Amino acid sequence: MIIETLKILFNRDLERLKFEIESYEFEKQIWVVDKNISNSAGNLCLHLIGNLNTYLGAEIAKTGYVRDRPLEFSLKDIPQSELISKIENTILVVNNALDSLSEEDLKKTYPQIVFEKEMTTGFFLVHLATYLGYHLGQINYHRRLLDF
């Protein structure tokens, strides 16, 4: 049951991420930082894509994805259409990863130490879903504040 719930939440929020990136009236605004806003929506989007492709794709679905986390924050001016494509690919990766899990797998220890201690796969997946929602809110606020 929790796997289906996670699929619904990840899909909902990744579709919302796609909507937010598509909703910028001026594409260049995706990459704007201003005053105390240190991360652009584009960089937050890349960060979420890297995060999910690492922890769900590479670790659970065995996609072979190799993360370059510093690039998630240093790349700039990637076309809006490319970001959308990356989000759509991430949706597929997340669904494939979740489809490969059983409810028993959620009780097992997640294969990587991420927060300096062991945790269950289920706990970590819930964390990833809430982390996605956190940054999604930042992107929404960024768009509404700076897309002019």
Side-chain angles (χ1 to χ4, degrees):
M1 174 169 142
I2 188 74
I3 293 171
E4 281 307 308
T5 300
L6 286 167
K7 280 181 74 171
I8 290 167
L9 294 173
F10 276 115
N11 279 283
R12 178 198 68 190
D13 288 351
L14 285 166
E15 288 294 336
R16 186 65 193 193
L17 175 61
K18 190 167 90 169
F19 171 81
E20 290 295 339
I21 297 300
E22 289 172 332
S23 293
Y24 277 82
E25 187 173 348
F26 302 102
E27 186 171 347
K28 66 181 171 104
Q29 294 300 104
I30 294 171
W31 301 97
V32 167
V33 292
D34 187 38
K35 297 182 181 121
N36 292 326
I37 299 172
S38 57
N39 291 314
S40 70
N43 290 117
L44 289 172
C45 179
L46 291 172
H47 176 58
L48 288 169
I49 290 165
N51 199 44
L52 294 173
N53 276 286
T54 298
Y55 296 122
L56 281 156
E59 194 62 55
I60 293 174
K62 306 298 184 208
T63 61
Y65 179 84
V66 177
R67 187 177 196 181
D68 189 341
R69 192 174 186 280
L71 275 182
E72 295 167 13
F73 294 99
S74 63
L75 288 174
K76 304 290 180 218
D77 301 321
I78 293 173
Q80 191 174 29
S81 60
E82 189 174 333
L83 291 174
I84 298 304
S85 178
K86 288 177 180 291
I87 295 166
E88 289 170 344
N89 288 336
T90 301
I91 291 169
L92 296 174
V93 167
V94 167
N95 284 316
N96 286 337
L98 292 173
D99 286 342
S100 74
L101 293 173
S102 69
E103 295 291 328
E104 263 318 293
D105 291 329
L106 298 180
K107 298 174 188 172
K108 295 177 183 172
T109 301
Y110 185 76
Q112 284 188 36
I113 301 293
V114 181
F115 302 126
E116 299 176 13
K117 63 179 182 174
E118 289 184 349
M119 67 192 123
T120 65
T121 298
F123 176 89
F124 190 53
L125 293 178
V126 169
H127 162 76
L128 290 174
T130 61
Y131 191 75
L132 170 59
Y134 172 75
H135 282 313
L136 179 58
Q138 289 180 312
I139 292 168
N140 172 266
Y141 197 71
H142 179 276
R143 180 182 57 78
R144 291 182 294 120
L145 189 64
L146 298 177
D147 190 30
F148 52 87

